Amino acid sequence: MSGATGRAIGAILTLAIFSTSAIAQNDLIKIGVLTDMSSLYADNGGQGSVVAAQMAVDDFNRKVLGRSVQVVTGDHQNKADVGSAITRRWLENEGVEAILDVPNSAVALAVQGITRDKKKLFLATGAATSRLTGDECSPTGIHWTYDTYALSQGTTKAISRLGAKTWFFLSADYALGSQLEADSRKVIEATGGKVVGAVKHPVNTPDFSSFLLQAQSSKADVIALADSGGDFINAVKQAGEFGITQQQKLAGLIVFIADIHSLGLQSAQGLMLSSAFYWDLNDETRAWSRRFIEKTGKVPTMIHAGTYGAVMHYLKAVEAAGTLDGPTVSAKMHEMPVNDFMTKNGRIREDGRLVRDMYLFRVKSPEESKYKFDYYKLLATIPGEEAFRPLKEGGCSLVTKP
C-alpha cells in the first residue's frame, strides 16, 4: 500500500470516527445546571441541584423525543462574566437546550439576557431577583421557585403584624440585596413601619462587626438581613456573639433550610422566614425528600425541589410540543399547569412567573425538634395570588396592556 493510499484511508477513518462522535452528540439533549459549586451558595444549590436535575431525568426514563437526556454542570463562581462565558459556550458550541438554577441574581440577569437572544430556555430555580419577571423578563425565561417580592411579602408582613415598627437593613451589595431591600421597603411603608437605616456589605463577607454595630446603634426593632447563604449564616452567628439578638429581632429575608442546619437550632430558633418548600410538609414532600437525602445525606432546599420540578415540567413540555425549539417549548410550559410534590395547580404567567403557594415558618427550638431535620413549624400558607407581585406592576414588556 502506497503512502498516499494509506493517508487517504486514514483520512476516511478519521472522518468516520468524527462523524460517529458527532451523531452521538446530536443524539443527546443537554440540560445545563449552572450553579455555585464551592462558595456561599453551594449548600443551597450546588451539587444538590445537579442531583435533583438528574433525579428528574431518571424519573422521566432518561429520554425524550427518542433521544437521551444528559445533565451538564457549570460553576459560575458568583461572577457574571464567568456565568456568561459558560452560558455562551453551552448554547453556541455544546448544544445545551435549557439552563437551570443560577443562585446569584447578578449572574442570573446576565444569563437571562443571553438565553433571550439565543431563544433558549432559562429556568431560574435558584435566582431571587424579581427583575427576571419585571423589566428583564424574557419569552424563554421562567422564574420558578421564589423571588424577592414573595419573600418580602411573607416575612416582612408577618413581623410587622407582630408589632415591629422600625427597621434597619443589612443588605448584600449586589442585585439580590438591592431588590430584596427595595421590595421589603414597600411592604414596611404600606404597613405603617419606618426604615431608620441601612448598610450594604460585600458578598462573601467574613467579618460583619462594623455593619452589625451600625444596626445595633440604630435601635431598630428589626434588623433585616437582605443576604443569603454564607453571608446570612455569618451575620446571624456574629449578631448572637455581640448579644444583639437579646435586644433586637433578626429577620432573614431569604433563608434556606441548609442555612438553619449550619447555624443549629440554638442559634436560629424563633427566626421567621418564607419558603416555597419544606421537606416535612406532607407525605409527598417527605417521600421525595427521603430519596434526595439517601443520595446526598443532606436535607433538600427549595432550590433543589424547584430544580427537580422545573426539569420535569420542561421534559413534559418538550414531549408535548414535539420539538426542542425554545419559544415553542416555553409556550407549552406556560400552557400546561404545574402539579408535583412541591407545587399544586401552579401556573406560569405571561411574564414568566410560576405562581404557587408560599409558606411562612418559624424555626423550632432545640426542645421542639423531635427528629433529624425537624426544623420548621408552619405558621401560614400564603396563596400564590397574594404572595407574588401583581402581573401589571412588574413592568414586563410581554404583559398584554389593558
Side-chain angles (χ1 to χ4, degrees):
M1 181 173 60
S2 70
T5 304
R7 286 192 295 273
I9 293 173
I12 292 169
L13 288 174
T14 299
L15 180 61
I17 292 169
F18 177 81
S19 299
T20 302
S21 175
I23 292 169
Q25 287 294 315
N26 289 337
D27 281 344
L28 293 174
I29 294 175
K30 294 182 181 179
I31 297 172
V33 177
L34 184 58
T35 189
D36 176 359
M37 296 296 287
S38 56
S39 189
L40 70 167
Y41 305 129
D43 286 340
N44 299 329
Q47 185 59 33
S49 292
V50 179
V51 170
Q54 189 61 55
M55 286 173 66
V57 169
D58 292 345
D59 288 348
F60 207 80
N61 296 320
R62 305 180 188 178
K63 283 194 173 186
V64 67
L65 303 183
R67 296 163 63 180
S68 296
V69 181
Q70 180 185 41
V71 176
V72 298
T73 308
D75 183 355
H76 59 52
Q77 302 173 35
N78 292 298
K79 298 175 182 177
D81 58 342
V82 174
S84 296
I86 294 171
T87 298
R88 290 188 183 281
R89 187 183 79 237
W90 276 355
L91 301 185
E92 294 172 2
N93 303 323
E94 298 181 14
V96 171
E97 298 292 342
I99 295 176
L100 295 100
D101 196 4
V102 195
N104 178 301
S105 291
V107 181
L109 289 168
V111 172
Q112 177 116 310
I114 297 168
T115 53
R116 183 197 299 118
D117 292 343
K118 300 293 183 182
K119 298 184 178 180
K120 297 292 185 179
L121 269 293
F122 175 37
L123 311 180
T125 57
T129 178
S130 55
R131 290 186 63 195
L132 289 169
T133 54
D135 62 317
E136 289 289 340
C137 67
S138 164
T140 55
I142 297 174
H143 204 175
W144 192 269
T145 311
Y146 59 94
D147 63 25
T148 50
Y149 184 96
L151 295 172
S152 61
Q153 285 289 303
T155 307
T156 311
K157 272 187 179 178
I159 295 175
S160 295
R161 286 168 181 164
L162 292 175
K165 296 298 183 183
T166 55
W167 297 68
F168 186 98
F169 279 92
L170 183 55
S171 305
D173 191 12
Y174 77 112
L176 166 69
S178 298
Q179 193 66 55
L180 201 54
E181 180 179 330
D183 286 339
S184 297
R185 280 176 177 267
K186 293 175 184 176
V187 177
I188 292 165
E189 291 169 6
T191 53
K194 182 180 180 182
V195 177
V196 297
V199 64
K200 295 188 182 298
H201 67 80
V203 175
N204 224 359
T205 299
D207 183 5
F208 279 84
S209 56
S210 64
F211 307 117
L212 288 168
L213 288 172
Q214 290 180 62
Q216 186 179 39
S217 64
S218 75
K219 301 189 184 305
D221 296 333
V222 183
I223 300 172
L225 303 177
D227 52 17
S228 67
D231 284 334
F232 168 78
I233 293 168
N234 285 337
V236 173
K237 284 181 177 177
Q238 291 172 39
E241 292 167 2
F242 288 138
I244 291 174
T245 51
Q246 296 172 17
Q247 304 296 327
Q248 295 164 288
K249 185 184 293 293
L250 286 185
L253 299 179
I254 176 168
V255 183
F256 296 88
I257 196 166
D259 304 331
I260 302 304
H261 183 73
S262 295
L263 282 166
L265 295 183
Q266 190 63 46
S267 297
Q269 61 183 311
L271 189 74
M272 286 194 292
L273 59 99
S274 298
S275 181
F277 173 76
Y278 177 46
W279 79 272
D280 204 15
L281 197 61
N282 55 49
D283 288 343
E284 283 186 272
T285 59
R286 281 188 286 272
W288 182 85
S289 297
R290 287 188 183 112
R291 292 173 54 205
F292 182 91
I293 293 168
E294 284 176 6
K295 293 177 180 294
T296 65
K298 297 181 178 180
V299 61
T301 68
M302 57 178 162
I303 292 178
H304 301 147
T307 298
Y308 176 97
V311 171
M312 185 63 74
H313 194 68
Y314 169 74
L315 293 175
K316 288 178 180 177
V318 169
E319 186 174 66
T323 180
L324 289 170
D325 176 69
T328 304
V329 174
S330 178
K332 183 60 69 173
M333 292 181 73
H334 281 69
E335 176 186 315
M336 298 165 59
V338 180
N339 279 293
D340 58 30
F341 67 90
M342 179 185 184
T343 304
K344 298 302 177 189
N345 300 314
R347 64 181 184 87
I348 301 169
R349 300 188 313 203
E350 54 191 299
D351 62 351
R353 176 68 258 169
L354 170 58
V355 178
R356 62 138 67 72
D357 291 347
M358 295 285 290
Y359 305 97
L360 181 68
F361 297 104
R362 175 180 60 77
V363 178
K364 291 183 175 182
S365 67
E367 295 72 29
E368 289 177 286
S369 181
K370 303 303 181 186
Y371 42 86
K372 190 174 184 180
F373 304 136
D374 178 23
Y375 294 160
Y376 292 173
K377 177 178 175 59
L378 179 65
L379 299 180
T381 299
I382 307 167
E385 295 296 337
E386 178 184 331
F388 292 98
R389 181 177 57 202
L391 185 63
K392 302 296 184 183
E393 294 181 10
C396 173
S397 59
L398 303 173
V399 175
T400 303
K401 300 295 187 293

